[in-house]
């Protein structure tokens, strides 16, 4: 592979296309640094590019963690609804009828517009 004009032989367990893709990404990040900052040292460019890539990684991990927590919360709420539904369906029919005639709790859904027949 070539990164910032330097030819490197890379061996790994991943397939060649993957390795070339990763190397291309690192090359782009290093080129972004050299275009934005007048850094003469290749090692400084590599360090700055590494910090930028690590920043992306940390942000992505945090995002996935937040998404995972959100999914866990939704799953718990759905499970509670399913448990309650199962409980109602297995109750005595007389008790189930009493639940059905009880007023429904208020919802957070918007009110539907009233439809009138056209004349």
């Amino acid at each position: 592979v070539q990164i910032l004009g330097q030819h490197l032989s890379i061996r790994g367990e991943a397939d060649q296309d993957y390795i070339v893709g990763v190397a291309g990404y690192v090359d782009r990040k290093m080129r972004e640094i050299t275009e934005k900052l007048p850094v003469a040292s290749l090692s400084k460019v590599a360090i700055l590019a590494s910090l930028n890539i690590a920043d992306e990684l940390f942000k992505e991990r945090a995002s996935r963690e937040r998404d995972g927590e959100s999914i866990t919360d939704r799953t718990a709420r759905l499970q509670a609804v399913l448990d309650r539904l199962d409980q109602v369906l297995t109750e005595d029919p007389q008790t189930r009828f009493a639940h059905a005639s009880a007023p429904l709790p208020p919802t957070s859904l918007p009110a539907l517009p009233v439809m009138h027949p056209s004349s």
Side-chain angles (χ1 to χ4, degrees):
V1 297
Q2 260 192 298
I3 298 177
L4 212 58
Q6 304 247 338
H7 180 75
L8 302 164
S9 295
I10 307 288
R11 291 184 191 172
E13 293 180 9
D15 67 15
Q16 183 177 355
D17 289 340
Y18 178 81
I19 292 171
V20 169
V22 170
Y25 185 78
V26 171
D27 181 63
R28 285 190 302 278
K29 288 297 183 180
M30 290 181 72
R31 289 183 188 282
E32 286 175 13
I33 298 295
T34 59
E35 289 172 5
K36 293 177 183 176
L37 300 172
V39 179
S41 166
L42 183 59
S43 62
K44 287 183 181 180
V45 172
I47 291 168
L48 292 172
S50 297
L51 287 171
N52 285 337
I53 293 168
D55 178 54
E56 291 174 3
L57 174 64
F58 276 59
K59 287 178 180 174
E60 182 62 28
R61 284 181 177 170
S63 174
R64 286 181 183 226
E65 188 174 307
R66 281 190 307 272
D67 291 346
E69 289 170 0
S70 175
I71 289 170
T72 301
D73 291 345
R74 289 181 193 161
T75 302
R77 287 195 311 262
L78 284 172
Q79 187 61 52
V81 168
L82 289 172
D83 290 345
R84 179 65 183 127
L85 180 60
D86 187 46
Q87 180 185 11
V88 168
L89 291 175
T90 58
E91 286 178 352
D92 176 54
Q94 294 295 331
T95 309
R96 191 179 325 146
F97 180 73
H99 287 296
S101 62
L104 294 173
T107 66
S108 59
L109 297 175
L112 297 174
V114 178
M115 303 295 283
H116 297 286
S118 58
S119 315

